Amino acid sequence: MTGTGHTAQLVLIPSYNPGPKVYETVADARHYWPQVWVVVDGSTDGTARGLAELARGDAGLKVLVLGRNQGKGSAVRHGLEAAEAAGFTHVLTMDSDGQHPAHCIPAFMAAARANPGCMILGKPLFDSSAPRLRVRGRRVSNAWVNLETLWMGIGDSLFGFRVYPVAPLLALMRRQRWMRRFDFDPEAVVRLAWLGLRPINIDAPVSYPSAEEGGVSHFRYWRDNALLTWMHGRLFLGFLWRLPLLLWRRLR
């Protein structure tokens, strides 16, 4: 367990059929952080077995396996429950597909130690490998999130390279049934902002490995955008109900 003062920090990687790229991702994360947990979300590509073999020879790596695919948010919640039981106060989430920058882990963890009551959010710096459609599409989600939080300063709503305080996020997920799939990242950041957690944005490079490089994408344009549309509809109603409190906070 790594932490200073009252923080204990863990890297948490939800993983679903990432292919061999996950082994590189885990090795990179372990290079920069002593405690890395992977939640295998019902993968059928053999990586659960491969990761378990790695963990047998690495005391800093723990692998949790879900019997069926439940979605990113559910995998993160499973990891959060185990992390809280083990005494961790903060988790840095990162994807298993090689998109997120492992070398940024120490800087994000340091920011969380200095600001334990905040959420540390990666603000993506895209390179030429980023699909234009996805880069443009995330602007819509970002605009909705800015409105739903009264422009509290969330730099990016969808980038999943973040440090969350465990207790408030887990409490949110225990008392409602949303945030279980692709909608996890934007809904988590909105609801934590509603609770008064301040966002701190840190630039982080992001790359999209090609298929030749082992890159795997489970993003489905129509399915996932429909999920986000439904999510923002729910959040907007919640925003209207909370508007007096949010205005009071902003005026203060």
Side-chain angles (χ1 to χ4, degrees):
M1 188 178 302
T2 299
T4 60
H6 57 284
T7 66
Q9 301 169 307
L10 170 74
V11 173
L12 183 64
I13 304 176
S15 180
Y16 172 64
N17 285 352
K21 196 71 175 177
V22 69
Y23 305 126
E24 180 183 333
T25 299
V26 169
D28 288 345
R30 280 287 292 114
H31 177 74
Y32 289 101
W33 203 251
Q35 295 287 340
V36 175
W37 290 8
V38 183
V39 181
V40 179
D41 185 22
S43 293
T44 57
D45 61 355
T47 53
R49 183 172 58 254
L51 289 166
E53 291 174 0
L54 286 178
R56 278 193 286 272
D58 182 354
L61 175 62
K62 182 173 182 176
V63 179
L64 309 173
V65 180
L66 303 180
R68 61 180 179 84
N69 177 245
Q70 299 178 37
K72 179 179 181 178
S74 291
V76 170
R77 178 182 173 175
H78 187 81
L80 290 171
E81 296 278 6
E84 183 182 65
F88 288 98
T89 60
H90 292 72
V91 299
L92 182 148
T93 58
M94 65 183 294
D95 291 350
S96 63
D97 56 9
Q99 292 185 13
H100 291 165
H103 68 272
C104 291
I105 291 173
F108 275 61
M109 293 300 204
R113 285 196 299 273
N115 304 275
C118 298
M119 42 186 170
I120 312 302
L121 307 180
K123 187 173 181 180
L125 301 176
F126 295 104
D127 63 15
S128 59
S129 67
R132 289 186 179 180
L133 189 62
R134 292 185 64 176
V135 173
R136 292 171 180 170
R138 72 193 305 119
R139 295 173 187 167
V140 177
S141 182
N142 290 341
W144 275 107
V145 164
N146 281 327
L147 173 62
E148 291 153 2
T149 60
L150 278 187
W151 290 269
M152 278 188 64
I154 295 168
D156 190 273
S157 62
L158 291 167
F159 194 49
F161 191 83
R162 299 170 170 173
V163 184
Y164 294 106
V166 170
L169 179 56
L170 198 48
L172 276 176
M173 299 192 80
R174 283 170 175 163
R175 65 174 177 256
Q176 50 89 29
R177 61 191 182 93
W178 312 112
M179 304 163 60
R180 297 299 188 260
R181 293 192 173 275
F182 182 72
D183 55 349
F184 167 74
D185 289 316
E187 185 154 2
V189 80
V190 169
R191 292 189 179 277
L192 288 173
W194 286 349
L195 289 178
L197 275 71
R198 181 169 62 91
I200 296 176
N201 301 291
I202 300 178
D203 289 343
V206 57
S207 62
Y208 290 79
S210 66
E212 293 74 19
E213 297 170 320
V216 176
S217 175
H218 298 294
F219 179 78
R220 298 295 179 266
Y221 184 82
W222 295 109
R223 179 200 66 187
D224 292 330
N225 278 306
L227 181 62
L228 290 178
T229 299
W230 162 238
M231 177 204 69
H232 282 302
R234 289 186 285 101
L235 289 178
F236 184 71
L237 293 177
F239 159 73
L240 293 178
W241 182 75
R242 293 171 175 83
L243 184 56
L245 173 62
L246 296 175
L247 283 171
W248 178 73
R249 285 179 180 166
R250 292 293 285 169
L251 291 173
R252 224 181 24 156

